[in-house]
């Protein structure tokens, strides 16, 4: 898996003013900006390559919207059509009620843009506008009908009737991804990966299709929608040139082809050409060939992640959402992460997992810090802070993987972090001082180790099958927990001091403090009262934190303390806590290696899902006083080519400052798909 979640908690600056990281805040969201240091020092050919990859990344933006929900493109295009009219109405009146309705419409539009649809990007629950249905209808009827996404001969009145429940009814398609243990996860999820199917039918389809004895299985279902044809047979509709989403994929292929023509070296050229071949054919064996070529491209300064990558949006873990990350290597910052990657075999050999679950020969881990140039699809506006790819276990075992930290993204988060969280939720002055001195390094190191030696560690027993087959809807949470536990176990190891990546084990203590604080308390700020935990990363963090708290309770390894009427958690013995992390790592690896579904279910359901309502209520009240939005995402930089005699001779970098304007610009330039797909 590729992505630890972003940390919990922004007008182009004039040249003589500091760069403004925080742009705006609305609902539970903050919009930030990030810089791209070092871009100007790249060679002209590298900039040209990055420009082509930038265009390829944005060309697939429509796909993510449609994958998330079948009505998302119509909703987004409705909002794009109504936005300028709403701004005019707001500017032309002093009627406070009208202004309030217009402002509420604006917030809803920005929430849809932020989440790539009508479901929250993190919780996947549907959100609805605070403006009235009547105000929405007024806007639609005042708009030029030619600008509205009408389909099938709809009249404007019919359009209003059809779109109103889609936008305003919170019970209609209420969750994009449902993970409730007793539900039909396919039928109760609004994601557009399945049509007319039940969970049992999907599982039966793949049970017939997948050979568990295959040591090099393709990623079944990764790039298709699963539907029933007119005869009732289950069939896949592949996403490829000439297939589903073909209009957008054709644009992606065009720009990737231009990028391949200016590749830095033969290895990069081969990888890009394989990616084009995959998009053209939809062949998952070619996808594997591309990933192998991409892993072996280690010399290029520039790089790209582009494709159907992560399966968090599929309740069954087969189908992947489109995403793209365009970047270049930060040469200086990569020294720390490379030091860890170079010792991957040592970490594997000294892991507390069972000997038979260890890799005897860890190969090909490339670790680096990257400078992000642009992100798109499922990677934007909300973004990962670390990536480990490819996801295919057998490719990682035989060919290795690339592990990266998004350095300038992490830096932007650090710059934007508002004060107050530490003072509110940390108990002692020593804990606060340690966090202020080492917290930034500790967080970066956790991400490094989660990606480099976490996801890349361990192996599945022969004949067991992949985790999406065996652990099913618990696979993502177990895998993220396993990778977290590898990092946590080694953060208190003297080996890190020996490697000179930390000055002392106080760095490890700072991360232990932060992890327990987050897993047991502060991440609850992301839930509304009464909700259970469903998102995979939140489940993993709570599962790990609650398990070690319970198992160490007798010896008070972690102690629940009430001071001045507020709850805190204090770590009393960091070495014993490390031992508990090691025990849980051993168990999560056993579950993964043996394909123990019941073991995974018991861990996640018993520790990762349920929320203490009293503590949750307290956390929400304390967090609300801080006025910090719990989620953040980014306005993307803009690349502008400089041409001379029809050829690109340079590329300029600009930093837009208006989130809504960027979304409107993207909607005009990168809308390639029909309203309904």
């Amino acid at each position: 898996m590729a992505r630890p979640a972003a940390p919990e908690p922004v007008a182009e600056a004039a040249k003589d003013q500091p760069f403004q990281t925080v742009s705006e805040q609305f609902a539970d969201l903050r919009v930030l900006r990030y810089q791209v240091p070092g871009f100007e020092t790249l060679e002209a050919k590298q900039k040209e390559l990055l420009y082509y990859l930038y265009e390829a990344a944005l060309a697939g933006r429509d796909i993510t919207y449609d994958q998330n929900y079948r009505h998302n493109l119509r909703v987004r295009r409705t909002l794009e059509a109504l936005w300028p009219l709403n701004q005019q109405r707001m500017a032309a009146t002093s009627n406070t009620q009208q202004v309030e309705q217009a402002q509420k419409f604006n917030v809803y539009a920005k929430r849809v843009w932020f989440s790539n649809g009508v479901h929250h990007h993190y919780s996947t629950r549907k959100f609805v506008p605070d403006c009235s249905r009547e105000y929405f209808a007024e806007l639609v009827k005042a708009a030029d009908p030619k600008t509205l996404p009408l389909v099938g001969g709809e009249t404007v009145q019919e359009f209003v009737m059809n779109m109103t429940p889609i936008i305003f009814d919170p019970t209609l398609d209420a969750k994009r991804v449902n993970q409730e243990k007793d539900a039909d996860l396919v039928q109760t999820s609004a994601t557009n990966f399945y049509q007319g199917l039940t969970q049992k039918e999907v599982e039966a389809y793949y049970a017939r299709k997948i050979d568990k004895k295959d040591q090099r299985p393709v990623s079944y279902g990764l790039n298709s929608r699963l539907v029933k044809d007119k005869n009732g047979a289950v069939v896949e509709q592949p996403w490829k040139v000439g297939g589903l989403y073909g209009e957008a994929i054709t644009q992606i292929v065009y720009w990737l082809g231009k990028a391949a023509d200016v590749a830095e070296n033969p290895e990069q050229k081969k990888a890009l050409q394989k990616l084009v071949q995959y998009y053209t054919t939809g062949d998952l064996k070619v996808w594997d060939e591309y990933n192998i070529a991409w892993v072996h491209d280690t010399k290029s300064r520039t790089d790209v992640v582009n494709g159907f990558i992560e399966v968090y949006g599929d309740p069954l873990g087969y189908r992947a959402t489109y995403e793209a990350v365009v970047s270049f290597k930060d040469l200086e910052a990569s020294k720390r992460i490379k030091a860890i990657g170079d010792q991957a075999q040592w970490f594997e050999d000294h892991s507390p997992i069972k000997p038979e679950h260890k890799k005897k020969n860890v190969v090909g881990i490339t670790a680096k810090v990257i400078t992000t140039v642009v992100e798109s699809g499922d990677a934007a506006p909300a973004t990962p802070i670390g990536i480990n790819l490819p996801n295919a276990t057998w490719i990682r075992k035989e060919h290795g993987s690339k592990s990266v930290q998004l350095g300038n993204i992490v830096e932007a988060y650090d710059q934007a972090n508002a004060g107050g969280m530490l003072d509110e939720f940390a108990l002692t002055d020593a804990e606060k001082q340690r966090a202020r001195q080492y917290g930034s390094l500790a967080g970066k190191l956790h991400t490094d180790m989660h990606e480099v030696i976490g996801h890349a560690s361990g192996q599945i027993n022969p004949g067991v099958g992949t985790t999406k087959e065996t652990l099913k809807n618990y696979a993502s949470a177990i895998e993220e927990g396993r990778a977290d536990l590898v990092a946590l176990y080694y953060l208190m190891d003297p080996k890190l001091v020996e490697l000179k990546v930390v000055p002392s084990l106080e760095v490890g203590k700072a991360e232990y403090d932060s992890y327990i604080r987050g897993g047991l308390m502060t991440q609850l700020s992301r839930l509304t009262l009464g909700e259970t935990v469903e998102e995979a990363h939140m489940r993993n963090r709570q599962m790990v934190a609650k398990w070690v708290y319970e198992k160490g309770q007798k010896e008070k390894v972690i102690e629940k303390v009430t001071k001045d009427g507020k709850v805190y958690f204090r770590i009393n013995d960091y070495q014993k806590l490390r031992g508990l992390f090691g025990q849980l790592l051993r168990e999560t690896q056993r579950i993964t290696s043996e394909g123990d579904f019941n073991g995974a279910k018991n861990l996640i359901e018993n520790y990762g899902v349920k929320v203490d309502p009293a503590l949750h209520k307290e956390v929400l009240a304390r967090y609300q006083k801080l006025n910090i939005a719990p989620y953040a995402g980014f306005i993307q930089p803009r690349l502008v080519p400089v041409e001379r005699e029809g050829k690109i001779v340079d590329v300029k970098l600009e930093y837009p400052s208006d989130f809504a304007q960027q979304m409107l610009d993207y909607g005009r330039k990168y809308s390639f798909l029909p309203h309904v797909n």
Side-chain angles (χ1 to χ4, degrees), residues 89-102:
R89 287 166 70 100
M90 186 161 52
T93 183
S94 58
N95 184 315
T96 55
Q97 290 179 322
Q98 284 287 310
V99 170
E100 185 178 320
Q101 289 291 308

Side-chain angles (χ1 to χ4, degrees), residues 3 83 91 111 180 241 332 498 523 546 556 609 632 657:
R3 52 174 64 191
W83 180 271
R111 292 189 73 186
E180 293 176 8
V241 172
E332 183 60 32
E498 178 189 320
Q523 75 168 9
K546 275 196 169 181
K556 292 188 176 180
V609 175
S657 60

Side-chain angles (χ1 to χ4, degrees), residues 501-514:
V501 297
V502 298
S504 76
L505 294 184
E506 289 296 300
V507 176
K509 290 181 179 180
E511 187 60 17
Y512 279 22
D513 292 336
S514 174

Side-chain angles (χ1 to χ4, degrees), residues 388-557:
N388 174 264
L389 291 172
N391 283 330
T393 304
W394 72 266
I395 296 179
R396 290 208 303 263
K397 181 179 179 181
E398 295 183 19
H399 298 276
S401 61
K402 284 183 179 178
S403 293
V404 303
Q405 182 183 113
L406 284 65
N408 57 330
I409 296 294
V410 173
E411 184 65 26
Y413 276 126
D414 284 347
Q415 291 174 0
N417 274 342
M421 279 285 288
L422 203 57
D423 287 329
E424 181 59 46
F425 291 101
L427 176 61
T428 67
D429 290 339
E431 183 181 343
K432 295 172 188 176
Q433 177 58 32
R434 188 160 49 228
R436 292 186 174 107
Q437 186 171 358
Y438 298 117
S440 178
L441 173 59
K444 291 174 182 176
L445 196 56
H446 184 125
T447 301
D448 292 347
M449 299 175 79
H450 173 108
E451 300 297 345
V452 178
I453 60 172
H455 286 309
S457 68
Q459 60 184 359
I460 295 174
N461 293 353
V464 167
T466 62
T467 55
K468 68 184 176 187
E469 300 161 52
T470 58
L471 307 185
K472 301 181 181 180
N473 51 303
Y474 299 108
S476 292
I478 289 292
E479 174 59 18
E480 294 303 321
R482 193 184 68 83
D484 263 359
L485 286 160
V486 172
L488 290 165
Y489 181 75
Y490 282 115
L491 272 161
M492 284 293 291
D493 197 299
K495 182 72 172 179
L496 299 188
V497 180
E498 178 189 320
L499 292 174
K500 295 183 171 58
V501 297
V502 298
S504 76
L505 294 184
E506 289 296 300
V507 176
K509 290 181 179 180
E511 187 60 17
Y512 279 22
D513 292 336
S514 174
Y515 197 90
I516 296 302
R517 198 163 56 236
L520 294 180
M521 290 181 61
T522 58
Q523 75 168 9
L524 296 178
S525 64
R526 296 182 164 189
L527 303 176
T528 58
L529 201 59
E531 288 182 342
T532 56
V533 182
E534 291 198 44
E535 199 278 333
H537 298 89
M538 289 182 68
R539 282 185 166 190
N540 118 56
R541 284 191 294 266
Q542 180 172 291
M543 179 270 290
V544 170
K546 275 196 169 181
W547 191 93
V548 294
Y549 171 66
E550 179 187 287
K551 300 305 178 186
Q553 210 163 4
K554 186 177 180 181
E555 297 183 277
K556 292 188 176 180
V557 176

Side-chain angles (χ1 to χ4, degrees), residues 53 56-58 252 256 275 278-279 287 290 294 304-309 322-326 389:
L53 295 176
L58 292 168
I252 297 170
L256 290 176
L275 184 54
Y278 160 67
Y279 272 132
W287 173 247
Y290 157 69
W294 179 76
V304 65
V305 170
N306 186 304
F308 308 113
I309 310 291
Y322 172 80
E323 70 174 79
V325 179
V326 179
L389 291 172

Side-chain angles (χ1 to χ4, degrees), residues 137-263:
E138 285 176 21
L139 281 178
V140 173
K141 291 172 184 176
D144 181 349
K146 294 178 183 178
T147 67
L148 298 173
L150 307 176
V151 296
E154 275 179 319
T155 65
V156 171
Q157 184 60 38
E158 289 169 338
F159 176 77
V160 171
M161 291 176 61
N162 291 334
M163 295 303 295
T164 297
I166 291 169
I167 292 175
F168 284 91
D169 185 351
T171 66
L172 177 66
D173 300 319
K175 277 185 188 173
R176 177 165 58 86
V177 184
N178 186 25
Q179 293 287 4
E180 293 176 8
K181 62 179 178 178
D182 297 321
D184 183 313
L185 302 184
V186 170
Q187 290 197 322
T188 59
S189 295
T191 183
N192 198 17
F193 290 145
Y194 304 98
Q195 291 184 358
L197 290 158
T198 66
Q199 181 177 344
K200 286 184 178 179
E201 287 174 322
V202 175
E203 290 174 344
Y205 176 81
Y206 285 109
R208 293 190 300 268
K209 196 177 185 73
I210 295 172
D211 178 8
K212 289 188 177 182
K213 295 179 181 178
D214 187 354
Q215 295 297 298
R216 297 182 179 88
V218 298
S219 301
Y220 290 98
L222 190 76
N223 65 335
S224 68
R225 180 191 290 162
L226 202 64
V227 302
K228 285 184 178 178
D229 65 15
K230 60 184 179 181
N231 298 317
V234 179
V235 296
E236 294 188 71
Q237 297 176 329
W239 307 323
K240 64 174 185 175
V241 172
L244 196 58
Y245 302 142
E247 301 92 334
I249 293 173
T250 297
Q251 295 293 323
I252 297 170
V253 164
Y254 170 78
W255 291 107
L256 290 176
K258 293 184 76 68
D261 290 340
V262 293

Side-chain angles (χ1 to χ4, degrees), residues 272-288:
L272 289 170
Q273 289 174 334
K274 279 290 180 186
L275 184 54
V276 167
Q277 184 186 352
Y278 160 67
Y279 272 132
T280 304
T281 64
D283 188 338
L284 287 169
K285 288 188 177 179
V286 178
W287 173 247
D288 287 343

